[in-house]
Amino acid sequence: MGRNRNSNNYRGNGCNGQNEEVIVNPSQTVVNTTTNQRVVRNIHPTEIVNVNRTIIRNENYFPVTERTVEETIVENYDCGTNVNNNSNCRPFWNR
């Protein structure tokens, strides 16, 4: 038999004259993986702030003193000549 171009199979005569069939299978894929390790250093810094606080307390006092003042007001009225009748009194200012 001859070779069929549309097929992966080949039929021919073998070395010892027997009729052999050759089957070509799809390629086997072999994956070789090379693994490389690398170190990545992640640095996470921390800042500490020490605060020295001084509190100033302002105390404000407002003392109150109290005093009494004696006040005298003099009002002058002209009431005429009749001592027993004060209905005629009018304010009188010195000039």
Side-chain angles (χ1 to χ4, degrees):
M1 286 196 146
R3 185 173 196 171
N4 185 352
R5 294 182 184 255
N6 294 330
S7 171
N8 287 334
N9 299 335
Y10 174 72
R11 293 177 189 232
N13 292 328
C15 294
N16 55 9
Q18 294 179 342
N19 199 9
E20 291 183 354
E21 181 178 355
V22 177
I23 298 175
V24 178
N25 292 305
S27 299
Q28 180 180 1
T29 303
V30 176
V31 176
N32 292 321
T33 302
T34 302
T35 301
N36 296 317
Q37 285 189 349
R38 56 180 239 196
V39 175
V40 176
R41 291 182 177 165
N42 293 303
I43 300 173
H44 302 278
T46 299
E47 179 184 13
I48 297 175
V49 177
N50 295 311
V51 176
N52 295 318
R53 177 178 289 160
T54 301
I55 297 176
I56 298 174
R57 179 179 160 167
N58 288 319
E59 294 182 355
N60 297 294
Y61 295 97
F62 302 96
V64 176
T65 58
E66 185 176 336
R67 60 185 174 152
T68 303
V69 176
E70 298 292 333
E71 185 176 61
T72 303
I73 298 176
V74 177
E75 297 179 337
N76 292 309
Y77 289 89
D78 179 8
C79 296
T81 57
N82 189 355
V83 178
N84 293 324
N85 185 6
N86 62 357
S87 62
N88 291 331
C89 293
R90 289 176 286 187
F92 173 71
W93 291 279
N94 291 332
R95 294 184 192 197

